[in-house]
Amino acid sequence: MNDIELTALGLSPAEERQYRSLVVDGGATVDVLAARAGLPVADVQEVLGALAKLGLAETVLADEPRWFAAPPDVALRGLLNSRRHELSVAETSVARLAAIFRSDLGQAAIGDLVEVVLGATAVRSRFLQIQRAARHEVCAFVDARPVALSGQENEAEGEALGRGVRFRVVIERSAFEAPGTVNDAVEAIESHAQVRTVDRVPTKLVVADGTVALVPLAVRGYQTAALVIRAAGLVQSLIALFESIWSSAVPIGLGAGGPIEEAAAGPDDADLAVLALMLTGLTDDAVGKQLGMSGRTVQRRLRALMDLTGSTSRMQLGWEASERGWVTRRFTGDVTRE
């Protein structure tokens, strides 16, 4: 029963537990219900009163009143419909406020069009807020110098991907030398984000829905600062910059799309990982660092793959890997094999 969650309907955790007890274990007197929950009788009486006001619990009078759960399909359906109506009204209100905000941008002060955010905590908050508010697409540049938060701390990205927001991310190659970057890329691609790499990105950048952007800012006295840009012309210029870099970036063939189908005489899971990272331009030592191998092990695996394909250079190996479909195969992430 741990998968039942009713707090979204407005029930407190205590009310949810008591209603679930009435449904699962049946009706009972207040004393019995208090014993079940391990709570004082007064606390249980207060919760039952709240459930009664919501139409979720009712009493049957007898020598000692007994409490029973109202039928879930009727009582909870009413609460669900009420909450849907409230959310619909809220969504309409948000749309109206957004329309008013956009209509005033032409006469807005510069502070409304470009906001200065100072300090790591404030920048982190605004970065997450922009992603959580995205409805269609988030475009981002990622460099090797995380400032406000790391990829592992960016829970807003997973939330947005989960509700269908499209992500396009360009990561500079040196970022893959940082611990966790490869795993972050794998998880993102597993969630259907599109990830590419280039030698260097021009700046950190996040653009949401083509309407708001976040870029870093150097401010004396603050180690971390950023600009939140809503001015349409500036945002469109940043989008053009992103599209230019995106079009020339190299797609990263990392991710986990299901079980690995091993070829009888082909590369294993670790070989695929080495190939994928080699094709991003990392050095042997950097590849080994990401995969828990020594640089010598990386070289040995690449040499074996060159022998297998008859390649005389790594460039030729990359071409052979592409032709044989190896670079489109995916690895699971557990690839450490010395």
Side-chain angles (χ1 to χ4, degrees):
M1 299 293 291
N2 292 332
D3 59 342
I4 294 177
E5 171 60 60
L6 300 177
T7 54
L9 296 180
L11 275 69
S12 70
E15 291 165 356
E16 178 188 313
R17 287 192 296 270
Q18 188 59 69
Y19 181 72
R20 183 165 49 186
S21 175
L22 289 172
V23 171
V24 175
D25 301 317
T29 64
V30 174
D31 290 338
V32 172
L33 293 174
R36 278 185 197 169
L39 297 172
V41 170
D43 290 353
V44 174
Q45 286 178 324
E46 182 179 352
V47 171
L48 290 170
L51 291 175
K53 290 181 180 179
L54 292 170
L56 296 177
E58 51 195 23
T59 57
V60 174
L61 297 179
D63 294 338
E64 190 173 1
R66 295 172 62 87
W67 286 86
F68 293 89
D73 56 342
V74 176
L76 292 179
R77 184 67 61 182
L79 282 178
L80 181 60
N81 289 338
S82 176
R83 186 53 57 93
R84 282 174 175 163
H85 174 70
E86 292 171 3
L87 290 173
S88 177
V89 171
E91 185 174 15
T92 300
S93 299
V94 169
R96 289 175 178 171
L97 287 172
I100 293 171
F101 182 82
R102 286 194 298 270
S103 67
D104 288 343
L105 283 181
Q107 295 79 36
I110 188 64
D112 297 324
L113 301 176
V114 180
E115 172 192 2
V116 178
V117 184
L118 302 175
T121 299
V123 172
R124 181 186 303 112
S125 176
R126 190 68 82 246
F127 176 75
L128 296 173
Q129 183 184 64
I130 287 172
Q131 292 180 91
R132 289 190 172 116
R135 300 181 63 184
H136 306 295
E137 183 180 58
V138 173
C139 300
F141 287 149
V142 177
D143 63 16
R145 300 170 297 281
V147 177
L149 76 171
S150 65
Q152 295 93 325
E153 297 171 317
N154 185 13
E155 70 272 12
E157 178 179 324
E159 295 170 5
L161 284 165
R163 63 175 185 271
V165 176
R166 179 191 184 198
F167 269 72
R168 290 192 292 156
V169 182
V170 179
I171 305 175
E172 72 177 26
R173 288 193 175 92
S174 58
F176 285 101
E177 300 182 21
T181 302
V182 168
N183 286 336
D184 291 342
V186 169
E187 291 176 3
I189 296 173
E190 286 176 348
S191 300
H192 307 294
Q194 299 179 52
V195 182
R196 298 186 179 185
T197 185
V198 293
D199 286 332
R200 185 173 297 278
V201 295
T203 180
K204 293 180 185 293
L205 172 68
V206 177
V207 182
D209 295 336
T211 59
V212 59
L214 180 74
V215 295
L217 178 68
V219 177
R220 181 178 300 176
Y222 289 89
Q223 185 175 359
T224 304
L227 285 177
V228 177
I229 302 171
R230 298 184 179 87
L234 291 176
V235 174
Q236 290 304 312
S237 296
L238 291 171
I239 292 174
L241 173 63
F242 176 86
E243 295 294 353
S244 174
I245 301 297
W246 175 263
S247 64
S248 60
V250 177
I252 298 178
L254 305 180
I260 301 300
E261 298 179 3
E262 298 290 347
D268 61 16
D269 201 7
D271 289 332
L272 293 174
V274 169
L275 268 174
L277 292 178
M278 182 203 76
L279 291 174
T280 68
L282 293 184
T283 65
D284 293 346
D285 287 339
V287 171
K289 181 179 178 181
Q290 288 294 332
L291 301 178
M293 303 174 181
S294 66
R296 182 170 297 179
T297 299
V298 171
Q299 293 171 4
R300 175 174 55 80
R301 286 185 173 273
L302 291 173
R303 181 70 259 175
L305 291 173
M306 290 173 65
D307 292 341
L308 178 63
T309 59
S311 301
T312 58
S313 68
R314 292 190 178 187
M315 181 178 295
Q316 184 180 358
L317 173 60
W319 184 86
E320 288 285 351
S322 177
E323 287 294 299
R324 296 166 187 241
W326 292 349
V327 292
T328 62
R329 291 168 56 188
R330 298 173 175 177
F331 65 90
T332 61
D334 182 13
V335 296
T336 303
R337 300 180 186 177
E338 290 291 342

